[in-house]
Amino acid sequence: MFRHKPTVSLLILHCFLAVGYVTVAAKADVDSLQGKPIAGCSFEDSQCVYHVNLGHHGTCDTTGKDGDTVLMKLVKLQNMLLEQSLLTQAVSMKYDNVTMVIQKIRSALNSLDAVTRHELQPLLQTVISANNATRAELAPVLTRLQTLEKEQGNVLLWLNRIENERAQLLLKVDASSKVYSSCSEWKRNGHHQDGHYLLDVDGKGGVQAFYVWCNMTSSPPTASIGHDRGLRTKTVGYEKVGSHICKVLYDVTMRQLTALMSNSSNCKQYFKYECHGALINTGGSGGQSTWWVSRDGENMTYLPGGDPKLGGCACKRTNTCAGGHECNCDMNDLTWRQDEGYITDVSKLPVTELRFGDTGNAGEQAYFTLGPVECEN
Ligand SMILES: *[C@@H]1O[C@H](CO)[C@@H](O)[C@H](O)[C@H]1NC(C)=O
Ligand SMILES: *[C@@H]1O[C@H](CO)[C@@H](O)[C@H](O)[C@H]1NC(C)=O
Ligand SMILES: *[C@@H]1O[C@H](CO)[C@@H](O)[C@H](O)[C@H]1NC(C)=O
Ligand SMILES: *[C@@H]1O[C@H](CO)[C@@H](O)[C@H](O)[C@H]1NC(C)=O
Ligand SMILES: *[C@@H]1O[C@H](CO)[C@@H](O)[C@H](O)[C@H]1NC(C)=O
């Protein structure tokens, strides 16, 4: 009656946990992205060979804490799925059993005479309502299971962290690995190809070296750091202001990221909000329905591209927002509109959390896209 999908899920997780399969699994998933920028970083001769563009569709619930290692997160997720799958099996078996009993009673009733049938009717009603109760018990369990299954999407995202952790280990093993302090320095030393390069941004003794994506084509070269919200993601069904909470987990630690930023000349991060009846500013003293949270946990009152003093979105700077509002999305007219721009204030970067709302009523929905942190480096 109900399929027990977790069995399959667990198998997949076991594969992920066996380190030997990690790269294969990542590649298979990457191939399935089709046409999207290729995600993941595979090390061949300790060189990273493809670009990382992380992120996923769906919910923003994550398993584990920021400080957890990838394996800790995987183990937690695996345990949750196991527990959940046992629970689902128990409840749905109970449901199936009672359903079977009901069918048996029904067919027994049909073969009885009218009087007996009439007498037994209340008993059947009792059994049916007990079954209904079991079904009600099953519903939230299945919902939770679906959430957990979505969580598995995050596994792919954590792989990039594994790659970085592995890079650190490789570095320890192979002390001869070359490392420079910036993309520009790599370029000056003859590396003109875009790719993943190992940087030790603050020299010996500071933060550990880490991989960044160097765009050597741009001038000066830029270093990009990705995160787990890299893909265009839908937000729908969250009416209350800021009630859809998306934490952003970066591919390197916050200390490494801030070290990179303080060693770079200009840094920025792109954000786009495509809205359909989902406004950003609620108007009056209602504050914002959608906002971002800075590195230090501050709720930011302007949208990326907007003026920190003026507030609002990029269009506000030139007074060109639809309907003369603070943002194009504030038009709130069930027409697809969008606001986009870069955050350039290094003291606030990176975006650590996104908060969305006003997507709970009929027809209301939105998509958001958060770019990597890009620094001239
Ligand atoms: C369901 O029925 C099977 C066999 O008929 C039995 O082994 C099992 O314990 C029952 N499960 C529940 C939850 O009642
Ligand atoms: C059980 O649920 C069905 C459908 O949800 C409903 O039609 C029926 O009235 C319920 N029966 C009892 C006894 O609660
Ligand atoms: C590198 O930077 C250049 C110039 O800014 C840009 O046109 C190009 O798309 C970038 N390459 C990648 C792979 O992002
Ligand atoms: C970055 O750090 C390196 C090494 O510590 C230093 O030589 C370089 O000048 C720094 N660059 C910037 C832009 O701060
Ligand atoms: C940011 O806003 C949220 C939701 O309104 C609130 O819970 C939180 O305390 C605020 N944070 C700060 C630092 O003001």
Side-chain angles (χ1 to χ4, degrees):
M1 187 143 296
F2 288 98
R3 292 205 306 129
H4 304 299
K5 276 195 250 152
T7 319
V8 176
S9 316
L10 283 170
L11 281 176
I12 294 167
L13 273 171
H14 279 304
C15 296
F16 275 108
L17 281 173
V19 173
Y21 287 94
V22 163
T23 313
V24 176
K27 277 188 172 152
D29 237 302
V30 163
D31 290 340
S32 73
L33 282 174
Q34 279 179 10
K36 294 259 164 24
I38 298 297
C41 162
S42 80
F43 285 85
E44 278 162 30
D45 298 331
S46 62
Q47 272 297 314
C48 204
V49 293
Y50 53 85
H51 185 31
V52 177
N53 191 339
L54 294 171
H56 67 114
H57 300 283
T59 69
C60 287
D61 309 308
T62 52
T63 310
K65 301 189 294 289
D66 195 352
D68 288 354
T69 64
V70 176
L71 280 179
M72 280 158 74
K73 283 177 200 268
L74 284 176
V75 169
K76 278 184 193 170
L77 177 60
Q78 191 192 26
N79 284 330
M80 282 163 71
L81 275 166
L82 183 60
E83 203 179 292
Q84 190 67 34
S85 115
L86 293 175
L87 184 59
T88 311
Q89 278 174 27
V91 180
S92 77
M93 201 194 275
K94 197 162 120 193
Y95 177 72
D96 290 354
N97 280 5
V98 181
T99 303
M100 226 157 66
V101 172
I102 292 173
Q103 276 160 5
K104 276 188 187 153
I105 296 180
R106 276 228 167 91
S107 55
L109 273 179
N110 286 338
S111 60
L112 292 172
D113 63 84
V115 177
T116 319
R117 210 183 303 169
H118 184 73
E119 279 167 1
L120 282 177
Q121 204 65 42
L123 180 62
L124 180 62
Q125 282 314 314
T126 314
V127 177
I128 290 177
S129 54
N131 198 32
N132 278 3
T134 310
R135 184 159 37 174
E137 200 182 324
L138 188 55
V141 172
L142 284 175
T143 307
R144 173 130 181 80
L145 184 61
Q146 276 165 7
T147 310
L148 284 171
E149 284 176 347
K150 272 189 195 142
E151 269 298 283
Q152 286 180 88
N154 287 331
V155 169
L156 175 65
L157 314 175
W158 298 331
L159 284 178
N160 195 48
R161 284 219 154 181
I162 292 187
E163 301 289 10
N164 250 312
E165 282 171 21
R166 185 154 62 132
Q168 304 292 349
L169 291 175
L170 278 176
L171 200 61
K172 281 185 188 143
V173 175
D174 179 12
S176 66
S177 276
K178 262 208 218 122
V179 51
Y180 290 116
S181 71
S182 64
C183 296
S184 301
E185 205 183 337
W186 274 103
K187 196 172 179 180
R188 276 197 299 280
N189 284 278
H191 298 264
H192 296 269
Q193 291 281 328
D194 292 355
H196 276 87
Y197 289 89
L198 193 57
L199 300 189
D200 191 355
V201 292
D202 55 1
K204 268 202 154 44
V207 297
Q208 274 195 318
F210 54 93
Y211 278 89
V212 303
W213 173 260
C214 289
N215 182 338
M216 298 298 196
T217 322
S218 62
S219 181
T222 57
S224 296
I225 297 288
H227 53 74
D228 62 349
R229 305 281 168 221
L231 298 182
R232 181 172 177 262
T233 305
K234 189 172 188 169
T235 171
V236 66
Y238 293 86
E239 185 57 19
K240 269 180 64 187
V241 299
S243 57
H244 188 191
I245 304 175
C246 296
K247 292 196 185 298
V248 185
L249 191 57
Y250 287 87
D251 299 344
V252 300
T253 66
M254 204 46 84
R255 276 187 68 220
Q256 288 170 320
L257 187 46
T258 48
L260 173 73
M261 291 195 292
S262 57
N263 197 256
S264 302
S265 34
N266 285 304
C267 295
K268 60 182 185 178
Q269 188 168 20
Y270 175 75
F271 175 79
K272 177 160 81 176
Y273 194 59
E274 298 161 80
C275 51
H276 192 261
L279 47 67
I280 292 173
N281 298 284
T282 52
S285 56
Q288 286 164 250
S289 156
T290 288
W291 69 90
W292 59 285
V293 177
S294 75
R295 176 165 85 228
D296 298 324
E298 189 183 346
N299 291 326
M300 303 305 291
T301 54
Y302 67 98
L303 268 286
D307 182 321
K309 291 199 189 74
L310 276 178
C313 293
C315 56
K316 172 87 173 168
R317 287 176 182 272
T318 49
N319 251 322
T320 52
C321 298
H325 292 283
E326 305 286 294
C327 291
N328 292 321
C329 287
D330 294 345
M331 195 69 183
N332 202 21
D333 58 355
L334 292 174
T335 300
W336 279 105
R337 296 184 182 273
Q338 71 176 53
D339 288 291
E340 65 181 325
Y342 283 94
I343 301 160
T344 54
D345 184 348
V346 175
S347 71
K348 304 294 180 200
L349 284 175
V351 172
T352 55
E353 196 175 299
L354 292 162
R355 305 285 300 256
F356 304 101
D358 193 34
T359 60
N361 294 330
E364 292 178 345
Q365 53 173 310
Y367 287 89
F368 65 91
T369 311
L370 180 67
V373 175
E374 300 168 68
C375 294
E376 288 179 5
N377 176 271

